[in-house]
């Protein structure tokens, strides 16, 4: 009974280290680890001990007898990896952490951003004695996109927050939540209070398409739409026009697939998740019956991952169709193209909602008076540029898709950080191995751009913390001068736990994981239910 990996990897490597027979690959130090979509269990050598599933922080491993119907393809997917990449060494794997000789005395570090990148950075720092970490965030709640970005029907992925709860419980960890850099605190304040600052502020805005009509009502960034259905305080009270039979998503990454699933899902099923109540009410009255995902390039260049495509193809009561298969493309090019080729043969059922993956199509303009009425599109053709990259260009001709909702899902973009240099082209802070200068560091998307998975932030944070500790050991960090008071009441760990408890208790009464508070005032009232919650007072 081999165990099977069933979703994108968190890159935590806990399962690899737990396996007594070294049958999970790629492992740390091997090609592909940290960049591969997922890890794979070798079914020929798995001894069914279950150590991997106990170690996994996101519940990604299951015995093959417990796979649901939609998960059965993962069994073959895991086995096929070892046909292409045989691993003959079955010695147990041990990773010996690098020993550092650090100066005696305390090291105080501020981490700005309480998402996965910031939490992994805090974890790496707190592995060393004498380190104190204060994690700051603009929102009253931590965990970033793990709370407000992961789709509500992916509760298993959100289990990574259990790992974050362990991190925040370590001695030397503090929160300062509900505090905004540039308003309540400055970069200079943080440098005065701490020996070093790590910025892990992510990429909070969506990229634009740069086409006519993009600012009409009903033209929405995926970032805002995801924040809406996840109850992000900035977006929770938005309204989106769902009185249209067709929605169009420009882009075909994992976020685009998330949006398509949510728009076509049974609201009663979503009611058992932590979706925003406001979004759920809107989806109950939605007229959307078809979601079209547009991709400029072909199936082989798809941005979504194989696990997400498998989850999409296993949907009940929703047809998933493929249009725009390039002439001459061999379906056996990859696992992804094989799955897409199978979807391309499906016949839609009358009356069912549908998701259409449409390739070789580019948006030209959005039309309408004050609101979106249609999207004009054009077919594209593939070519290979001088660097060997497959790109798309217009092939001539146009078509009009009637729609009242166009969602642009073509990537995230970071904003400049006050006090730090910023590269407008890449929308990142220039750095060397995470070091902007001694005492100032970056991690996550503000460092490397919006790429990778939740777990990619772990190796990213390890590199950044390594640079910080090297500077500390070399005496390059300035001393912490004083405690800086904020101009607002900041919430600490007790406050967050009070919010978390209140949300979970409300959810329990409704058979849900939690019912989120979706505005700052409600979050603060929940925090104040704990008398010790407001640890950082007005200056």
């Amino acid at each position: 009974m081999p165990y099977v990996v069933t979703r994108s990897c968190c890159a935590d490597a806990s399962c690899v280290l737990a396996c007594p027979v070294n049958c999970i690959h790629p492992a740390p130090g091997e090609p592909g680890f940290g960049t591969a979509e997922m890890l794979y269990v070798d079914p020929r050598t798995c001894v069914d001990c279950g150590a991997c599933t106990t170690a996994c922080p996101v519940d990604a491993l299951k015995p093959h007898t417990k796979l649901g119907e939609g998960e059965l393809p993962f069994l073959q997917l895991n086995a096929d990896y070892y046909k292409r990449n045989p691993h003959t060494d079955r010695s147990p794997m041990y990773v010996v952490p690098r020993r550092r000789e650090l100066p005696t005395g305390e090291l105080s570090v501020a981490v700005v951003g309480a998402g996965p990148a910031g939490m992994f950075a805090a974890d790496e720092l707190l592995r060393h004695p004498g380190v104190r970490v204060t994690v700051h965030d603009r929102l009253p709640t931590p965990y970033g996109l793990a709370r407000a970005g992961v789709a509500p029907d992916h509760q298993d992925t959100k289990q990574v927050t259990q790992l974050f709860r362990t991190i925040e419980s370590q001695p030397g960890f503090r929160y300062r939540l509900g505090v905004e850099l540039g308003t309540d605190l400055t970069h200079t304040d943080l440098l005065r209070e701490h020996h070093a600052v790590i910025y892990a502020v992510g990429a909070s805005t969506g990229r634009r398409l740069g086409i006519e009509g993009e600012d009409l009502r009903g033209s929405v960034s995926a970032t805002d739409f995801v924040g809406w259905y996840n109850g992000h305080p900035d977006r929770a009270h938005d309204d989106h026009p769902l009185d249209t039979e067709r929605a169009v998503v420009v882009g075909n990454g994992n976020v685009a697939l998330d949006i398509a699933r949510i728009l076509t899902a049974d609201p009663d099923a979503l009611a058992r998740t932590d979706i925003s109540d406001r979004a759920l009410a809107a989806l109950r009255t939605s007229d959307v019956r078809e979601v079209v995902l547009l991709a400029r390039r072909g199936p082989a260049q798809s941005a979504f991952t194989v696990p997400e495509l498998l989850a999409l193809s296993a949907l009940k009561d929703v047809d998933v169709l493929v249009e725009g298969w390039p002439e001459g493309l061999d379906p056996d090019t990859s696992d992804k193209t094989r799955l897409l080729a199978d979807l391309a043969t499906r016949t839609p059922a009358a009356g069912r909602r549908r998701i259409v993956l449409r390739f070789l199509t580019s948006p030209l303009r959005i039309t309408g008076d004050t609101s979106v009425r249609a999207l004009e599109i054009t077919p594209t053709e593939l070519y290979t540029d001088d660097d060997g990259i497959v790109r798309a260009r217009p092939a001539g001709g146009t078509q009009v898709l009637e729609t009242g909702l166009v969602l642009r899902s073509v990537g995230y973009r970071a904003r400049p950080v006050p006090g730090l240099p910023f590269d407008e082209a890449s929308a990142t802070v220039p750095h060397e191995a995470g070091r902007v200068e001694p005492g100032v560091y970056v991690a996550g998307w503000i460092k490397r751009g919006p790429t990778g998975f939740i777990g990619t932030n772990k190796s990213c944070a390890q590199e950044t913390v390594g640079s910080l500790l090297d500077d500390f050991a070399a005496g390059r960090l300035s001393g912490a001068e004083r405690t800086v008071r904020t101009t607002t009441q900041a919430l600490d760990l007790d406050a967050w736990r009070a919010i978390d408890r209140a949300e979970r208790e409300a959810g329990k009464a409704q058979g849900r994981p939690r019912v989120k508070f979706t505005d700052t005032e409600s979050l603060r009232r929940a925090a104040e239910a704990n008398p010790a919650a407001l640890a950082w007072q007005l200056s």
Side-chain angles (χ1 to χ4, degrees), residues 102-259:
L102 298 178
T104 57
E106 286 193 341
L107 170 63
S108 175
V109 180
V111 175
V112 182
M119 297 303 291
F120 282 127
D123 188 37
E124 291 299 321
L125 286 163
L126 293 170
R127 295 173 187 270
H128 302 275
V131 178
R132 293 183 292 109
V133 178
T134 303
V135 176
H136 302 68
D137 202 279
R138 179 178 65 87
L139 296 178
T141 55
Y143 307 162
L145 289 181
R147 173 180 167 94
V150 175
D153 61 345
H154 275 15
Q155 290 297 312
D156 45 8
T157 303
K158 293 191 178 190
Q159 289 190 46
V160 71
T161 59
Q162 295 179 11
L163 175 60
F164 298 158
R165 290 189 186 96
T166 300
I167 295 170
E168 69 192 15
S169 299
Q170 296 181 63
F173 183 100
R174 293 187 298 181
Y175 273 135
R176 188 182 278 174
L177 303 173
V179 174
E180 186 169 7
L181 185 70
T183 300
D184 304 309
L185 282 173
T186 67
H187 175 62
T188 301
D189 288 334
L190 292 174
L191 288 177
R192 286 176 180 169
E193 186 178 3
H194 303 277
H195 299 97
V197 182
I198 297 176
Y199 288 92
V201 294
S204 59
T205 61
R207 292 183 180 274
R208 292 178 62 84
L209 298 173
I211 62 175
E212 182 183 339
E214 192 167 4
D215 294 318
L216 291 171
R217 181 179 182 273
S219 172
V220 186
S221 77
T223 308
D224 291 351
F225 196 77
V226 168
W228 170 69
Y229 64 62
N230 269 315
H232 191 291
D234 291 348
R235 302 264 64 99
H237 300 285
D238 290 352
D239 288 306
H240 298 291
L242 302 182
D243 55 344
T244 177
E245 290 193 1
R246 176 189 289 130
V248 179
V249 182
V250 181
N252 72 346
N254 285 348
V255 173
L257 266 58
D258 286 345
I259 290 171

Side-chain angles (χ1 to χ4, degrees), residues 152-156 158 165 269-275 500-516:
D153 61 345
H154 275 15
Q155 290 297 312
D156 45 8
K158 293 191 178 190
R165 290 189 186 96
L270 292 177
R272 296 190 291 271
T273 74
D274 61 350
I275 191 170
D500 183 49
R501 182 168 55 251
E503 289 186 338
R504 288 176 179 275
E505 287 175 353
K508 185 177 181 180
Q510 299 182 26
R512 304 170 64 183
R514 67 174 66 236
V515 174
K516 289 180 180 175

Side-chain angles (χ1 to χ4, degrees), residues 453-528:
F453 315 109
I454 289 177
T456 310
N457 293 293
K458 186 175 179 67
S459 55
C460 177
Q462 288 173 336
E463 179 186 60
T464 294
V465 171
S467 295
L468 187 158
L469 294 178
D470 286 343
D471 288 344
F472 180 51
R476 302 189 191 103
L477 304 183
S478 300
E481 297 178 11
R482 62 186 178 90
T483 297
V484 175
R485 298 285 184 176
T486 71
T487 58
T488 188
Q489 290 180 313
L491 307 182
D492 65 1
L493 177 57
D494 287 334
W496 159 236
R497 285 177 171 167
I499 293 169
D500 183 49
R501 182 168 55 251
E503 289 186 338
R504 288 176 179 275
E505 287 175 353
K508 185 177 181 180
Q510 299 182 26
R512 304 170 64 183
R514 67 174 66 236
V515 174
K516 289 180 180 175
F517 298 110
T518 58
D519 64 87
T520 301
E521 287 306 311
S522 296
L523 288 162
R524 285 189 171 274
R525 283 197 298 271
E528 290 167 0

